[in-house]
Amino acid sequence: MAIIESKVAIKDNLQAAVFLGAGDENFRYLQGICEAELSARGAEIFIRGEEAAVNYAVQLIGDLLVIVDDEGFLNINDITYMDNLHKKGDRPGNRDFVAGILLSTSQGKAIKARTRGQKRYVQSIFRDDVVFGIGPAGTGKTYLAVVMAVKALRNKEVERIILVRPAVEAGEKLGFLPGDFIEKVNPYLRPLYDGLFDIMGLEQTQRYLDKNIIEIAPLAFMRGRTLNNAFIILDEAQNTTPQQMKMFLTRLGFGSQAVITGDITQVDLPKEEHSGLIEIQKILSNIKGISFEYLTKEDVVRHPLVQRIINAYEQYLL
């Protein structure tokens, strides 16, 4: 095969710095996933290799530069996601999967839906009163739900946020943990706290918790309540029984919205128990105002190795 060379010019040195990443982190990662040889000099990227590999790299770099141009930001997760789309023969425009800034973190970092699946998920939360977000770890199911809850609270669309988790033992035993019941289940609620701290900051989160504007509770505490004017998130819903799922969904009151998240491949219930999240897909699939959004390994926005781990497990279980 003949070896060819090509070149991609970046608009200016500022965009080149964003594209290359801190300490050239983005560019080194890009070099690792492209079959063509890549080198950078100033605001130019030089590509050398077989024709197919060079053409692939040119297209991939071009679409990544659209992200840089639109958002002024690029990271390894963006590169991985775009690379996966290209390998499937799909070349979306950047605006096909970026939903704009939803909120900013307490540190000023913009929060956006960064994949097609995440954008569909966010759009469903905007549109419907009950949304199920189902998918593997690292796809942003819980984090984006918390973001949308905080957004609704700040916009005065709801008066409070209620974050719920089933206290199901994933190999551990609650009885052996120190403290009273609340202290024992707090480790299960930790991911919800972490999302709030990242988005709102420690002080504001604590203030809202003290005023009961934000409530974090085990699922068992929801029985008998009616939740009005609230944004309610049920996390780790794969660990609810069918009875618990029905109980939770019938708590929804006037002016409220619910997002239910879970990973149906990681059910920690006893073997004799059925997952309410698995069952509910058959029961509510055709109800207006309720949507099911399925995130996949392609929506993983954690370390690139997480996607490879999910792939390895899928292959092992075949």
Side-chain angles (χ1 to χ4, degrees):
M1 294 287 289
I3 299 300
I4 66 169
E5 295 182 351
S6 188
K7 179 177 71 173
V8 176
I10 304 176
K11 186 182 295 183
D12 53 41
N13 288 332
L14 181 60
Q15 286 208 344
V18 174
F19 176 79
L20 296 174
D24 290 344
E25 178 185 40
N26 290 343
F27 192 63
R28 287 199 304 274
Y29 182 73
L30 193 59
Q31 287 175 311
I33 64 174
C34 287
E35 294 182 8
E37 296 176 12
L38 306 182
S39 59
R41 190 161 58 247
E44 293 181 323
I45 307 298
F46 298 90
I47 307 157
R48 185 176 187 274
E50 294 181 0
E51 184 175 4
V54 169
N55 290 339
Y56 182 89
V58 168
Q59 290 183 349
L60 178 59
I61 291 169
D63 282 347
L64 293 173
L65 287 172
V66 172
I67 297 177
V68 173
D69 190 45
D70 279 0
E71 303 184 44
F73 179 80
L74 185 74
N75 63 20
I76 287 174
N77 291 323
D78 296 324
I79 298 170
T80 301
Y81 180 67
M82 192 63 76
D83 180 48
N84 287 335
L85 289 181
H86 275 253
K87 284 175 178 173
K88 292 196 315 180
D90 194 354
R91 284 194 63 201
N94 181 39
R95 294 173 186 84
D96 285 345
F97 66 92
V98 176
I101 297 174
L102 299 171
L103 281 180
S104 294
T105 68
S106 58
Q107 303 299 316
K109 181 181 176 182
I111 303 171
K112 302 181 180 184
R114 305 209 65 83
T115 71
R116 276 180 169 174
Q118 287 187 351
K119 182 177 180 181
R120 288 195 306 269
Y121 180 47
V122 166
Q123 288 174 333
S124 290
I125 296 173
F126 273 122
R127 183 186 66 238
D128 294 323
D129 287 337
V130 177
V131 176
F132 290 83
I134 299 172
T139 52
K141 305 181 302 294
T142 302
Y143 188 80
L144 285 173
V146 173
V147 167
M148 296 300 287
V150 173
K151 186 179 180 71
L153 183 66
R154 289 180 177 173
N155 290 342
K156 303 188 185 303
E157 296 166 9
V158 296
E159 295 175 356
R160 55 185 173 148
I161 297 171
I162 302 174
L163 307 175
V164 185
R165 260 194 167 204
V168 173
E169 299 139 344
E172 306 87 0
K173 297 295 182 184
L174 285 173
F176 291 99
L177 295 173
D180 60 20
F181 181 69
I182 292 296
E183 291 171 325
K184 287 180 179 184
V185 299
N186 259 343
Y188 295 89
L189 306 173
R190 190 79 247 169
L192 299 172
Y193 284 110
D194 290 343
L196 287 170
F197 293 158
D198 185 50
I199 298 162
M200 303 178 69
L202 178 59
E203 289 185 11
Q204 187 180 35
T205 299
Q206 191 59 57
R207 190 162 61 249
Y208 279 17
L209 287 167
D210 292 342
K211 293 181 177 180
N212 214 32
I213 296 172
I214 295 177
E215 178 184 352
I216 302 181
L219 178 60
F221 284 22
M222 294 297 104
R223 190 172 298 278
R225 299 180 63 181
T226 300
L227 306 173
N228 295 317
N229 302 313
F231 195 116
I232 312 146
I233 299 171
L234 173 58
D235 191 34
E236 296 290 324
Q238 74 274 8
N239 291 328
T240 62
T241 65
Q243 294 78 14
Q244 288 174 326
M245 179 64 76
K246 180 181 178 182
M247 180 272 290
F248 172 79
L249 291 172
T250 53
R251 299 309 92 201
L252 197 65
F254 291 107
S256 289
Q257 181 174 9
V259 177
I260 299 95
T261 68
D263 178 358
I264 56 176
T265 69
Q266 296 195 42
V267 177
D268 298 314
L269 292 167
K271 289 184 179 179
E272 64 273 13
E273 293 278 11
H274 297 290
S275 168
L277 183 60
I278 293 175
E279 181 187 81
I280 204 68
Q281 297 171 75
K282 302 172 185 175
I283 298 172
L284 300 182
S285 60
N286 296 314
I287 304 296
K288 187 176 181 180
I290 297 175
S291 60
F292 289 84
E293 292 299 336
Y294 295 90
L295 300 162
T296 70
K297 60 189 177 185
E298 292 173 352
D299 298 301
V300 170
V301 289
R302 290 183 182 170
H303 193 289
L305 274 177
V306 174
Q307 195 172 87
R308 296 175 204 164
I309 290 168
I310 294 170
N311 281 334
Y313 269 98
E314 288 179 351
Q315 292 300 314
Y316 177 77
L317 294 172
L318 287 177

